[in-house]
Amino acid sequence: MRDLEVNIRNILKIIDNKVDNFEIVIVNNNIGSNNHFEKLTNSNTLKNIQIYSLASKVDELTARWAGIENSIGDLVICLDPNIDNMKIIPKLIELGFKDKYDIVFTNQNTKHKNNIFSKIVIYKISEFFINLITGIDLKHHSTSFIMINRAVINYLSQLNEPHIKFRLIQSLPGFSRYHLKVYPLNDIKRKISLRKSFIRGIRLITSH
């Protein structure tokens, strides 16, 4: 809880004077009591905080879409402050407002040096087959740290099962996109989880 408050304060410092109006949406994916989250919204020093609590635990991308769907504003930046480098937020805002991109993906600029060779090979093979079947490049399919504008959100909201279509946002036609290379928070290297990668790939294939 304390880490969450620290992250919120850091975000507020980063976006200060960058935008006129904003809100920070936090999704409680059924991970605990709402009392802790309500303290944030009742704080006198924190502003524009919205909490959305899900009735049951869902997968990560569905939870992210719940936050995006309930957000307001012309641009929405979706991130995990424990992993993603929040210092990139001003660049995402610039790409959205100044350069007029509809979608900005982030591509973690890291190497898999912490993973054994066999894991890397299996991961690359799965990447190849998913790209072959769906046309989606997993390296550029980060819905963890992403910027999308209101036009994209409105388009997805009109579709059946928009949380499913959100998984396939890379293949959406008619929207301009940009791939931004970023470094992880504190240069921490994300380890490849074969199980998570496999599940993610299966969901992309079945959603396509």
Side-chain angles (χ1 to χ4, degrees), residues 44-106:
N44 294 325
T45 59
L46 298 177
K47 59 181 180 178
N48 301 342
I49 308 295
Q50 298 291 336
I51 309 293
Y52 291 94
S53 298
L54 305 182
S56 59
K57 189 175 180 62
V58 297
D59 66 89
E60 181 182 350
L61 289 182
T62 300
R64 289 180 184 279
W65 172 251
I68 293 172
E69 189 176 33
N70 287 286
S71 64
I72 60 175
D74 298 320
L75 292 182
V76 174
I77 297 173
C78 182
L79 76 157
D80 181 345
N82 293 316
I83 299 175
D84 299 314
N85 192 340
M86 293 181 286
K87 294 180 181 179
I88 305 299
I89 292 176
K91 180 62 177 178
L92 294 175
I93 293 174
E94 178 183 342
L95 288 168
F97 282 128
K98 183 179 178 180
D99 298 328
K100 305 298 183 181
Y101 284 104
D102 297 315
I103 309 170
V104 178
F105 296 98
T106 60

Side-chain angles (χ1 to χ4, degrees), residues 65 68-69 149-166 172-173 175:
W65 172 251
I68 293 172
E69 189 176 33
N149 65 15
R150 179 55 51 183
V152 177
I153 298 172
N154 289 342
Y155 174 79
L156 289 172
S157 298
Q158 295 173 3
L159 302 176
N160 293 327
E161 299 183 317
H163 65 287
I164 299 296
K165 300 304 180 183
F166 176 59
L172 286 182
F175 294 105

Side-chain angles (χ1 to χ4, degrees), residues 92-163:
L92 294 175
I93 293 174
E94 178 183 342
L95 288 168
F97 282 128
K98 183 179 178 180
D99 298 328
K100 305 298 183 181
Y101 284 104
D102 297 315
I103 309 170
V104 178
F105 296 98
T106 60
N107 182 16
Q108 295 287 347
N109 193 13
T110 61
K111 296 181 179 180
H112 304 315
K113 66 179 184 180
N114 293 331
N115 297 275
I116 62 175
F117 179 75
S118 60
K119 283 187 176 182
I120 297 174
V121 171
I122 295 173
Y123 185 83
K124 291 295 183 181
I125 292 174
S126 66
E127 268 190 351
F128 171 78
F129 280 106
I130 289 170
N131 180 261
L132 185 66
I133 296 172
T134 67
I136 293 175
D137 186 349
L138 284 181
K139 294 190 298 296
H140 294 152
H141 189 73
S142 172
T143 44
S144 170
F145 196 7
I146 187 175
M147 185 283 296
I148 57 179
N149 65 15
R150 179 55 51 183
V152 177
I153 298 172
N154 289 342
Y155 174 79
L156 289 172
S157 298
Q158 295 173 3
L159 302 176
N160 293 327
E161 299 183 317
H163 65 287

Side-chain angles (χ1 to χ4, degrees), residues 175-188:
F175 294 105
S176 61
R177 62 206 69 207
Y178 186 89
H179 296 282
L180 178 67
K181 286 188 176 182
V182 301
Y183 290 90
L185 183 64
N186 296 327
D187 202 30
I188 296 174

